PDB file of all heavy atoms in Angstrom:
ATOM      1  N   ASP A 404       3.791   3.239 -16.880  1.00  0.00           N
ATOM      2  CA  ASP A 404       3.795   2.480 -18.134  1.00  0.00           C
ATOM      3  C   ASP A 404       4.558   3.222 -19.220  1.00  0.00           C
ATOM      4  O   ASP A 404       5.320   2.626 -19.986  1.00  0.00           O
ATOM      5  CB  ASP A 404       2.365   2.218 -18.603  1.00  0.00           C
ATOM      6  CG  ASP A 404       1.650   1.207 -17.715  1.00  0.00           C
ATOM      7  OD1 ASP A 404       2.352   0.439 -17.029  1.00  0.00           O
ATOM      8  OD2 ASP A 404       0.411   1.191 -17.708  1.00  0.00           O
ATOM      9  N   ASN A 405       4.356   4.528 -19.315  1.00  0.00           N
ATOM     10  CA  ASN A 405       5.018   5.311 -20.352  1.00  0.00           C
ATOM     11  C   ASN A 405       6.509   5.459 -20.084  1.00  0.00           C
ATOM     12  O   ASN A 405       7.317   5.532 -21.007  1.00  0.00           O
ATOM     13  CB  ASN A 405       4.383   6.700 -20.462  1.00  0.00           C
ATOM     14  CG  ASN A 405       2.955   6.640 -20.971  1.00  0.00           C
ATOM     15  OD1 ASN A 405       2.565   5.681 -21.628  1.00  0.00           O
ATOM     16  ND2 ASN A 405       2.179   7.658 -20.658  1.00  0.00           N
ATOM     17  N   TYR A 406       6.881   5.480 -18.812  1.00  0.00           N
ATOM     18  CA  TYR A 406       8.250   5.784 -18.417  1.00  0.00           C
ATOM     19  C   TYR A 406       9.196   4.618 -18.643  1.00  0.00           C
ATOM     20  O   TYR A 406      10.305   4.794 -19.144  1.00  0.00           O
ATOM     21  CB  TYR A 406       8.251   6.181 -16.945  1.00  0.00           C
ATOM     22  CG  TYR A 406       9.487   6.921 -16.471  1.00  0.00           C
ATOM     23  CD1 TYR A 406       9.577   8.299 -16.602  1.00  0.00           C
ATOM     24  CD2 TYR A 406      10.539   6.249 -15.882  1.00  0.00           C
ATOM     25  CE1 TYR A 406      10.681   8.991 -16.147  1.00  0.00           C
ATOM     26  CE2 TYR A 406      11.659   6.931 -15.432  1.00  0.00           C
ATOM     27  CZ  TYR A 406      11.720   8.295 -15.564  1.00  0.00           C
ATOM     28  OH  TYR A 406      12.824   8.972 -15.114  1.00  0.00           O
ATOM     29  N   ILE A 407       8.771   3.421 -18.273  1.00  0.00           N
ATOM     30  CA  ILE A 407       9.702   2.288 -18.237  1.00  0.00           C
ATOM     31  C   ILE A 407      10.188   1.893 -19.620  1.00  0.00           C
ATOM     32  O   ILE A 407      11.268   1.330 -19.764  1.00  0.00           O
ATOM     33  CB  ILE A 407       9.076   1.058 -17.552  1.00  0.00           C
ATOM     34  CG1 ILE A 407       7.829   0.593 -18.304  1.00  0.00           C
ATOM     35  CG2 ILE A 407       8.776   1.339 -16.102  1.00  0.00           C
ATOM     36  CD1 ILE A 407       7.306  -0.734 -17.811  1.00  0.00           C
ATOM     37  N   HIS A 408       9.424   2.191 -20.649  1.00  0.00           N
ATOM     38  CA  HIS A 408       9.822   1.749 -21.980  1.00  0.00           C
ATOM     39  C   HIS A 408      11.057   2.494 -22.481  1.00  0.00           C
ATOM     40  O   HIS A 408      11.834   1.955 -23.260  1.00  0.00           O
ATOM     41  CB  HIS A 408       8.666   1.925 -22.961  1.00  0.00           C
ATOM     42  CG  HIS A 408       7.515   1.013 -22.680  1.00  0.00           C
ATOM     43  ND1 HIS A 408       7.632  -0.355 -22.727  1.00  0.00           N
ATOM     44  CD2 HIS A 408       6.226   1.263 -22.324  1.00  0.00           C
ATOM     45  CE1 HIS A 408       6.473  -0.920 -22.425  1.00  0.00           C
ATOM     46  NE2 HIS A 408       5.610   0.043 -22.169  1.00  0.00           N
ATOM     47  N   SER A 409      11.232   3.734 -22.070  1.00  0.00           N
ATOM     48  CA  SER A 409      12.353   4.517 -22.586  1.00  0.00           C
ATOM     49  C   SER A 409      13.323   4.982 -21.513  1.00  0.00           C
ATOM     50  O   SER A 409      14.379   5.507 -21.831  1.00  0.00           O
ATOM     51  CB  SER A 409      11.825   5.734 -23.349  1.00  0.00           C
ATOM     52  OG  SER A 409      11.001   6.524 -22.513  1.00  0.00           O
ATOM     53  N   HIS A 410      13.005   4.771 -20.242  1.00  0.00           N
ATOM     54  CA  HIS A 410      13.835   5.332 -19.181  1.00  0.00           C
ATOM     55  C   HIS A 410      14.174   4.305 -18.104  1.00  0.00           C
ATOM     56  O   HIS A 410      14.289   4.647 -16.936  1.00  0.00           O
ATOM     57  CB  HIS A 410      13.139   6.539 -18.545  1.00  0.00           C
ATOM     58  CG  HIS A 410      12.900   7.669 -19.489  1.00  0.00           C
ATOM     59  ND1 HIS A 410      13.912   8.486 -19.925  1.00  0.00           N
ATOM     60  CD2 HIS A 410      11.773   8.093 -20.099  1.00  0.00           C
ATOM     61  CE1 HIS A 410      13.410   9.390 -20.756  1.00  0.00           C
ATOM     62  NE2 HIS A 410      12.127   9.172 -20.881  1.00  0.00           N
ATOM     63  N   LEU A 411      14.342   3.050 -18.483  1.00  0.00           N
ATOM     64  CA  LEU A 411      14.700   2.025 -17.510  1.00  0.00           C
ATOM     65  C   LEU A 411      16.049   2.335 -16.860  1.00  0.00           C
ATOM     66  O   LEU A 411      16.268   2.044 -15.689  1.00  0.00           O
ATOM     67  CB  LEU A 411      14.738   0.645 -18.177  1.00  0.00           C
ATOM     68  CG  LEU A 411      14.950  -0.564 -17.258  1.00  0.00           C
ATOM     69  CD1 LEU A 411      13.885  -0.615 -16.189  1.00  0.00           C
ATOM     70  CD2 LEU A 411      14.978  -1.844 -18.064  1.00  0.00           C
ATOM     71  N   SER A 412      16.948   2.963 -17.607  1.00  0.00           N
ATOM     72  CA  SER A 412      18.255   3.330 -17.057  1.00  0.00           C
ATOM     73  C   SER A 412      18.116   4.333 -15.921  1.00  0.00           C
ATOM     74  O   SER A 412      18.908   4.332 -14.968  1.00  0.00           O
ATOM     75  CB  SER A 412      19.146   3.916 -18.159  1.00  0.00           C
ATOM     76  OG  SER A 412      18.558   5.084 -18.702  1.00  0.00           O
ATOM     77  N   ASP A 413      17.099   5.205 -15.998  1.00  0.00           N
ATOM     78  CA  ASP A 413      16.873   6.167 -14.922  1.00  0.00           C
ATOM     79  C   ASP A 413      16.407   5.466 -13.648  1.00  0.00           C
ATOM     80  O   ASP A 413      16.765   5.863 -12.540  1.00  0.00           O
ATOM     81  CB  ASP A 413      15.831   7.206 -15.344  1.00  0.00           C
ATOM     82  CG  ASP A 413      16.370   8.159 -16.399  1.00  0.00           C
ATOM     83  OD1 ASP A 413      17.588   8.132 -16.646  1.00  0.00           O
ATOM     84  OD2 ASP A 413      15.573   8.918 -16.969  1.00  0.00           O
ATOM     85  N   ILE A 414      15.582   4.424 -13.820  1.00  0.00           N
ATOM     86  CA  ILE A 414      15.124   3.663 -12.658  1.00  0.00           C
ATOM     87  C   ILE A 414      16.300   2.945 -12.020  1.00  0.00           C
ATOM     88  O   ILE A 414      16.440   2.908 -10.793  1.00  0.00           O
ATOM     89  CB  ILE A 414      14.023   2.664 -13.075  1.00  0.00           C
ATOM     90  CG1 ILE A 414      12.798   3.418 -13.585  1.00  0.00           C
ATOM     91  CG2 ILE A 414      13.637   1.772 -11.898  1.00  0.00           C
ATOM     92  CD1 ILE A 414      11.669   2.520 -14.054  1.00  0.00           C
ATOM     93  N   ARG A 415      17.180   2.379 -12.856  1.00  0.00           N
ATOM     94  CA  ARG A 415      18.384   1.730 -12.338  1.00  0.00           C
ATOM     95  C   ARG A 415      19.237   2.732 -11.551  1.00  0.00           C
ATOM     96  O   ARG A 415      19.703   2.438 -10.449  1.00  0.00           O
ATOM     97  CB  ARG A 415      19.197   1.129 -13.476  1.00  0.00           C
ATOM     98  CG  ARG A 415      20.496   0.449 -12.999  1.00  0.00           C
ATOM     99  CD  ARG A 415      21.385   0.117 -14.184  1.00  0.00           C
ATOM    100  NE  ARG A 415      20.785  -0.870 -15.044  1.00  0.00           N
ATOM    101  CZ  ARG A 415      20.958  -2.182 -14.931  1.00  0.00           C
ATOM    102  NH1 ARG A 415      21.716  -2.668 -13.953  1.00  0.00           N
ATOM    103  NH2 ARG A 415      20.387  -3.013 -15.769  1.00  0.00           N
TER     104      ARG A 415
END
Side-chain angles (χ1 to χ4, degrees):
D404 289 339
N405 293 337
Y406 198 86
I407 61 171
H408 293 298
S409 57
H410 298 286
L411 186 57
S412 61
D413 289 350
I414 296 179
R415 179 191 295 269

